[in-house]
Each structure stands twice: as C-alpha cells, then as structure tokens.
Amino acid sequence: MELDDFKNRLNQKLETNHLHLSERDLSVLLSKKAYSVIGKIKRSLWIEIISCILIAGIFAYIGISSKYRAVNIYFISFTIIFIPFTLVFVYLLKKTNEVNQSNLPIINNLQSLVKLLDEFIKRYFQFTMALIPICFVFSFILGYTEKKPIIELDQLIYKYKPSSGIAVSILIAYFGGLTFCTYYFTKWYLKKLYGNYIIELKNYITELKDAA
C-alpha cells in the first residue's frame, strides 16, 4: 500500500509540475513531447516500409513460381504496385525527419507534418478501399481466362456442384464480407499507427500556441 501511495503522489507531482513552469520552459517541454511523438510516427513508417518490402518479395516469389498464368499475372501486378507504395512511405519518412532539421518554428513544422499525414491517411484509406473491387474483378477475369485447369478449384466445384445462383450468392457474400472487414480493419490500423499520434500532435500545437 505504501508503494501505491508513493506512486500516486509521484504521478500527481508530475501532472502538476507544468503549472510552475515559465512559458519558455513549457514550450520546451511541449516541443520535446511532440518530437517524442514524431519518433513514434517514424517507427510506424519503418514498420510499413519493411512490411511492404517483405510482402512484395512474397508476392514476387508466388508470381514467378506459380504454374498458373492467372496467378503469375495477379501477384506480379501487385508486386509492381507495392513499389510506388513503398516509395510513398520513404518520402513520408524523409519529410518526418526534416521536421527535426528544419529552421522553421516548431509550430510551423508540426502543422506542416500534421497536414501531410492527414492527407496521407485519407488517401491511404481511399486507395485500400478502391483496391477491393479492383482485386475482385481482376482475379475473376484472370480466373475466367485461365486456360490451364486449376485442379483444386475444379475438385471443389465437382464435390459440391453449386448452382449458378448459389455461386453468385457466395461471391456476393464474400465481396460484402471482405469489404466490411477491410473497412473497419483499415480504420483501426490507421488510427493505431498514425491517427492517435496525429491527435497528440494537434493537442501539442494548440498548447504551444497558447504558451507562445
């Protein structure tokens, strides 16, 4: 219990310490906190860059090694898409690093970064959602034009012998479920990697303006 009391008193002291700081000291403290958040954003960008490289590598391997032409085209196509997508993350990482090196006031730096990240998140979400129908239609066309029989698919169809109505219903349900899951997962994912940090930066910008 004594340890808990000590922790509570320590937390209260840390929370109220800023009340005794000068405006300059408060600005320095807020700037340090903001740069700490920027460090977390850099970490998220590195996660994205490494993930893109790994996924592109896996897709390239599948696209090259598959015996089916449709699979070759599908995975090679998305390997190519991942290249400019990765470059976008590299560009954002570069712009984020520039915040620490710029001679502009901290508020201007943070505002520029927040504006850039807000636009990035918006486009990221739009791009992800647009890919769903594109992938769906693209895979359907490739599967339909595949000349070499896909043994696994043929065995599945032969086993269950679904009617055209059931097959269409399954495709619609699959597309709807995929869209629903992707929508909410992407919202959560972007909020986790960037959204929460952007909110923190906006709060620090407001506090820095008040302290100026």
Side-chain angles (χ1 to χ4, degrees):
M1 291 298 294
E2 291 181 1
L3 180 59
D4 291 336
D5 291 338
F6 173 75
K7 287 181 178 179
N8 290 333
R9 287 197 297 271
L10 180 60
N11 288 332
Q12 289 174 1
K13 182 176 177 60
L14 291 173
E15 290 173 358
T16 56
N17 267 350
H18 72 278
L19 299 176
H20 307 290
L21 296 174
S22 67
E23 290 182 351
R24 177 178 174 78
D25 291 336
L26 182 58
S27 295
V28 172
L29 178 60
L30 290 171
S31 298
K32 288 181 179 179
K33 289 183 177 180
Y35 284 127
S36 175
V37 174
I38 291 172
K40 295 175 183 177
I41 293 174
K42 291 179 185 178
R43 180 188 63 192
S44 295
L45 290 170
W46 271 115
I47 291 173
E48 296 270 35
I49 292 169
I50 294 171
S51 298
C52 282
I53 293 173
L54 290 175
I55 293 172
I58 293 171
F59 278 17
Y61 174 76
I62 296 173
I64 294 172
S65 62
S66 177
K67 60 183 178 180
Y68 299 111
R69 170 181 165 275
V71 176
N72 296 143
I73 295 174
Y74 186 86
F75 281 96
I76 291 297
S77 297
F78 283 97
T79 299
I80 295 172
I81 290 175
F82 266 97
I83 295 174
F85 203 55
T86 305
L87 293 178
V88 170
F89 291 120
V90 173
Y91 170 77
L92 283 171
L93 183 62
K94 179 183 176 183
K95 299 300 290 186
T96 305
N97 285 327
E98 288 176 358
V99 172
N100 295 348
Q101 302 165 0
S102 175
N103 294 323
L104 293 174
I106 177 64
I107 294 178
N108 292 354
N109 286 336
L110 293 178
Q111 286 176 328
S112 298
L113 180 61
V114 166
K115 183 179 179 181
L116 181 64
L117 289 174
D118 272 335
E119 184 67 19
F120 162 70
I121 288 177
K122 179 181 177 182
R123 300 305 177 192
Y124 193 136
F125 180 77
Q126 291 174 344
F127 178 74
T128 302
M129 296 308 296
L131 274 180
I132 298 174
I134 292 173
C135 292
F136 189 80
V137 173
F138 188 41
S139 60
F140 181 81
I141 293 173
L142 288 175
Y144 185 79
T145 57
E146 174 63 53
K147 296 179 180 180
K148 188 175 182 179
I150 301 177
I151 299 174
E152 295 80 4
L153 182 60
D154 290 344
Q155 288 177 342
L156 189 65
I157 293 173
Y158 180 78
K159 181 178 180 180
Y160 293 102
K161 296 184 176 66
S163 64
S164 57
I166 292 176
V168 171
S169 298
I170 291 173
L171 287 174
I172 292 174
Y174 172 76
F175 180 76
L178 180 63
T179 302
F180 179 85
C181 293
T182 302
Y183 178 89
Y184 285 101
F185 174 78
T186 305
K187 283 281 188 182
W188 170 84
Y189 180 78
L190 290 175
K191 186 174 184 294
K192 183 75 173 177
L193 257 63
Y194 306 104
N196 292 332
Y197 300 138
I198 291 175
I199 292 173
E200 286 188 56
L201 288 179
K202 288 179 178 179
N203 291 336
Y204 290 139
I205 290 172
T206 302
E207 292 181 40
L208 283 165
K209 286 181 178 179
D210 293 340

